[in-house]
Amino acid sequence: QVVYQVPLKENHVLKRNVDQQLRIKIIYDRSIEDLLPEKRHLIKNKLFPQAISSLEKTFQVRKSTGTILLSRQCVTNQYLRRKADPHRYCRGACADYTRCGPVVVPEKHLQQCRVCNENEWHCGPTGVPDQEGVRDADFVLYVSALTTERCGHENIIAYAAYCQLEAEMDRPIAGYANLCPNMISTQAQEFVGMLSTVKHEIIHALGFSAGLFAFYRDDDGKPLTTRYADGLPPFNESLGLYQWSSKVVHKAVRLWDVRGGKMLHHAVYLLITPRVVEEARKHFNCPILEGMELENQGGMGTELNHWEKRLLENEAMTGSHTQNRVFSRITLALMEDTGWYKANYSMAEKLDWGRNKGCDFVMKSCKFWIDQKRQKRQLISPYCDTLRSNPLQLTCRQDQRAVAVCNLQKFPKQLPQEYQYFDNLNGVPAEELPYYGGSVEIADYCPFSQEFSWHLSGEFQRSSDCRIIENQPDPTKNYGAEKYGPNSVCLIQKSAFVMEQCRRKLSYPDWGSGCYQVSCSPQGLHVWVKDTVYLCSRSGQVLTVSIQMNGWIHVGNLICPACSDFCDFCPPERDPPASNLTRAAPIDLCSCSSSLVVTLWLLMANLIPLLTGLFLCA
């Protein structure tokens, strides 16, 4: 239950003063204390402090000067308002407890109970007076870790929402974030993803929610949606939301290419507030774009509450976490267009997906894009058309920071006609083509290269993000001589790497890319494989690798990326020097060199005392 039009204790908002940093006060529910110590420490000492710090640096607020005191909920959920009185009155009685989502709000955060009797003749305050409230805060966030019904839904890590809005500007002043206890991961490899999820959920509570669209205001503080006499917008019963105006969300119809040469009408909803339009047009390089498309799939909670996944794949405010979430200028623009915040755009993260792809990318189906690129014999990136198979054919994520695999797969049922994109696929009979699409439904089934993770008996082992040092593979399974860490990137392998030892040869069936350390120099981009450095003189150059590691020879070929992909300053591309073209002298681990013999004798000498000891104790 959301409470609207909550008066602040000093009911005054400085509409012009938008240069004050957002202040978020965290209140931890008792359920946080009941978690295992490592999970409690993660939430209270790392996740939420870091998330709040980042958001407070990103947003400034139209400053409220009053203490936050929340309105009490009513026993019957029926309440009344009196003329010239900012408070709401419960019919009959106030509820024993007031909740914000699943959390019981502390008594000290609540206003005095105000009630009207059954015939509404007598109304007034009752019970304990106004409590102390929450001082020096613009938003109160109640954080819990309760196993709720919603946590039973597949892959739900956390969820959040607003619960009370202030009266003057309709800005949310209280909300909650609930983390599902069984989904809280303390593994270092998953921290960045968990942090992104927490920030994502708090942004929903602060303003990016379909239920708040009707309450957005312009730069002068005027509502973008017409209000009734009671100060609220019209309510849409079918949506269960207050109905926004055409100044906020616009419905459009796209001409949508599908398989068989057909074209359908595809309805979309776009957020069309001024800064969002400006940032979306700049990002896609499409001057006729009406706004930024909202998600049209995923059901309640996802639909309309996120950016369209097909167009902003790894933007943090899309409806699912696939990889490398970033909070882009488009999301910051939306928060500014609420009328409640000013954004610090230096905190925006770079979004590569869709950048400068043009109007055909952002206003047409992915089939149109793929077909156009094929006809021109160009890469179909950011989409892909390689079937996900066993063994895996590995590639790189679009930003070249993770090993990836194309998520094109066969579904058990035919996809809806508007999401059937392929007239042909290598090795797929024509009658089966309607069953094929990308694995992410909310990306309109468009296939793209996606990072992944390795699991053993259902337990997470590591992900394919090159920058996370904990993802380093076990030495016995590091066929490609890979190196994970903050300076590592994904490189394409021209052939499968082979591990050789005497007459033994091992290779890994899943190949195509790997993670390798790189560095920049005046000569160009350097690729490091173990302690050997290779110079990339031009994009597409083949590096012949032969190095010794852990008693094995690792042999393979890597393809150089463009120096400009990773370095700010690069020399002109040129043919590599002859030394870079010749194969390194083969290393022979089977030769009986004197050093090897000495090492073996030393090993035997060290073993003798141990063997003697065993015999004496027999």
Side-chain angles (χ1 to χ4, degrees), residues 250 252-254 270-272 277 281 288-292 363:
H250 167 69
V253 176
R254 303 292 194 222
L270 301 109
L271 205 134
I272 58 167
V277 171
R281 287 176 175 176
I288 62 170
L289 185 61
E290 310 98 317
M292 189 62 239
M363 299 180 75

Side-chain angles (χ1 to χ4, degrees), residues 389-394 452 454 479 493 496 507-513:
S389 57
N390 192 14
L392 295 175
Q393 186 173 334
L394 303 180
F452 56 94
W454 285 269
Y479 293 82
Q493 299 167 341
S507 64
Y508 197 59
D510 301 334
W511 67 275
S513 65

Side-chain angles (χ1 to χ4, degrees), residues 77 114 151 153 205 219 290 301 366 390 404 480 496 574 576 581 586 612:
N77 202 25
R114 290 172 171 82
C151 287
H153 298 180
D219 287 349
E290 310 98 317
C366 54
N390 192 14
R574 62 198 183 282
L581 293 172
T612 305

Side-chain angles (χ1 to χ4, degrees), residues 156-278:
I156 296 290
I157 298 173
Y159 58 93
Y162 53 92
C163 61
Q164 299 208 11
L165 277 57
E166 53 92 1
E168 188 79 12
M169 295 283 287
D170 301 312
R171 179 176 60 79
I173 53 171
Y176 66 90
N178 186 61
L179 288 86
C180 300
N182 291 338
M183 297 296 287
I184 300 169
S185 173
T186 56
Q187 294 205 46
Q189 302 97 308
E190 298 198 82
F191 177 76
V192 172
M194 290 287 294
L195 179 62
S196 171
T197 295
V198 168
K199 289 166 67 176
H200 169 107
E201 297 300 339
I202 297 173
I203 286 176
H204 277 315
L206 289 173
F208 193 162
S209 292
L212 291 172
F213 291 166
F215 295 92
Y216 287 3
R217 293 175 176 255
D218 65 18
D219 287 349
D220 295 322
K222 295 176 182 176
L224 292 171
T225 300
T226 303
R227 305 298 171 88
Y228 286 155
D230 63 0
L232 293 172
F235 191 78
N236 185 320
E237 294 287 350
S238 62
L239 287 176
L241 301 171
Y242 284 97
Q243 179 62 58
W244 50 81
S245 74
S246 58
K247 292 181 181 178
V248 181
V249 176
H250 167 69
K251 183 179 180 180
V253 176
R254 303 292 194 222
L255 294 177
W256 199 252
D257 289 79
V258 296
R259 66 182 297 267
K262 296 177 182 177
M263 188 176 286
L264 306 178
H265 288 98
H266 179 71
V268 298
Y269 287 89
L270 301 109
L271 205 134
I272 58 167
T273 51
R275 293 178 183 85
V276 169
V277 171
E278 179 185 356

Side-chain angles (χ1 to χ4, degrees), residues 13 19 63 70 102 111 283 368 385 408 451 509 512 562 578 587 596:
V13 174
D19 59 355
K63 198 69 173 179
L70 301 183
Q111 296 176 10
H283 178 78
F368 182 88
D385 58 2
L408 179 60
E451 73 174 72
I587 306 168
L596 183 60

Side-chain angles (χ1 to χ4, degrees), residues 460-524:
F460 175 88
Q461 299 297 304
R462 65 186 185 96
S463 78
S464 62
D465 191 322
C466 294
R467 295 166 296 180
I468 300 175
I469 196 167
E470 289 84 2
N471 286 337
Q472 181 67 28
D474 185 279
T476 61
K477 299 174 182 176
N478 191 6
Y479 293 82
E482 294 179 80
K483 176 68 174 178
Y484 284 71
N487 299 315
S488 294
V489 302
C490 179
L491 299 182
I492 297 296
Q493 299 167 341
K494 189 178 181 183
S495 59
F497 268 68
V498 176
M499 291 171 61
E500 301 178 359
Q501 190 183 68
C502 292
R503 285 178 289 277
R504 296 175 64 194
K505 289 188 177 184
L506 300 175
S507 64
Y508 197 59
D510 301 334
W511 67 275
S513 65
C515 295
Y516 300 91
Q517 189 175 335
V518 296
S519 61
C520 301
S521 75
Q523 291 75 41

Side-chain angles (χ1 to χ4, degrees), residues 25-285:
K25 175 71 173 177
I26 308 174
I27 306 295
Y28 292 106
D29 179 60
R30 175 68 204 175
S31 56
I32 299 295
E33 303 304 321
D34 295 336
L35 290 170
L36 293 172
E38 58 269 25
K39 290 188 177 183
R40 182 171 65 246
H41 177 81
L42 174 72
I43 290 170
K44 296 182 70 172
N45 296 85
K46 296 179 72 176
L47 275 180
F48 277 87
Q50 288 187 34
I52 297 303
S53 174
S54 173
L55 293 171
E56 288 182 340
K57 291 173 185 173
T58 303
F59 301 114
Q60 298 161 343
V61 70
R62 293 174 185 262
K63 198 69 173 179
S64 60
T65 58
T67 297
I68 294 177
L69 269 172
L70 301 183
S71 184
R72 291 179 184 267
Q73 290 170 341
C74 305
V75 168
T76 61
N77 202 25
Q78 292 181 314
Y79 64 91
L80 304 164
R81 290 196 180 272
R82 304 174 71 191
K83 193 172 183 180
D85 187 338
H87 299 96
R88 71 176 199 163
Y89 291 77
C90 289
R91 175 175 281 175
C94 294
D96 291 338
Y97 301 102
T98 293
R99 293 182 179 273
C100 184
V103 179
V104 175
V105 176
E107 275 289 317
K108 62 184 179 182
H109 295 175
L110 296 174
Q111 296 176 10
Q112 185 173 16
C113 174
R114 290 172 171 82
V115 297
C116 293
N117 60 16
E118 292 300 325
N119 55 24
E120 301 175 19
W121 289 346
H122 178 72
C123 299
T126 182
V128 294
D130 285 356
Q131 299 297 291
E132 62 187 80
V134 182
R135 299 178 183 274
D136 303 317
D138 303 302
F139 186 82
V140 186
L141 182 69
Y142 298 98
V143 178
S144 59
L146 297 163
T147 304
T148 61
E149 181 185 356
R150 197 165 171 185
C151 287
H153 298 180
E154 187 179 5
N155 295 328
I156 296 290
I157 298 173
Y159 58 93
Y162 53 92
C163 61
Q164 299 208 11
L165 277 57
E166 53 92 1
E168 188 79 12
M169 295 283 287
D170 301 312
R171 179 176 60 79
I173 53 171
Y176 66 90
N178 186 61
L179 288 86
C180 300
N182 291 338
M183 297 296 287
I184 300 169
S185 173
T186 56
Q187 294 205 46
Q189 302 97 308
E190 298 198 82
F191 177 76
V192 172
M194 290 287 294
L195 179 62
S196 171
T197 295
V198 168
K199 289 166 67 176
H200 169 107
E201 297 300 339
I202 297 173
I203 286 176
H204 277 315
L206 289 173
F208 193 162
S209 292
L212 291 172
F213 291 166
F215 295 92
Y216 287 3
R217 293 175 176 255
D218 65 18
D219 287 349
D220 295 322
K222 295 176 182 176
L224 292 171
T225 300
T226 303
R227 305 298 171 88
Y228 286 155
D230 63 0
L232 293 172
F235 191 78
N236 185 320
E237 294 287 350
S238 62
L239 287 176
L241 301 171
Y242 284 97
Q243 179 62 58
W244 50 81
S245 74
S246 58
K247 292 181 181 178
V248 181
V249 176
H250 167 69
K251 183 179 180 180
V253 176
R254 303 292 194 222
L255 294 177
W256 199 252
D257 289 79
V258 296
R259 66 182 297 267
K262 296 177 182 177
M263 188 176 286
L264 306 178
H265 288 98
H266 179 71
V268 298
Y269 287 89
L270 301 109
L271 205 134
I272 58 167
T273 51
R275 293 178 183 85
V276 169
V277 171
E278 179 185 356
E279 291 296 336
R281 287 176 175 176
K282 281 196 301 186
H283 178 78
F284 293 104
N285 190 21

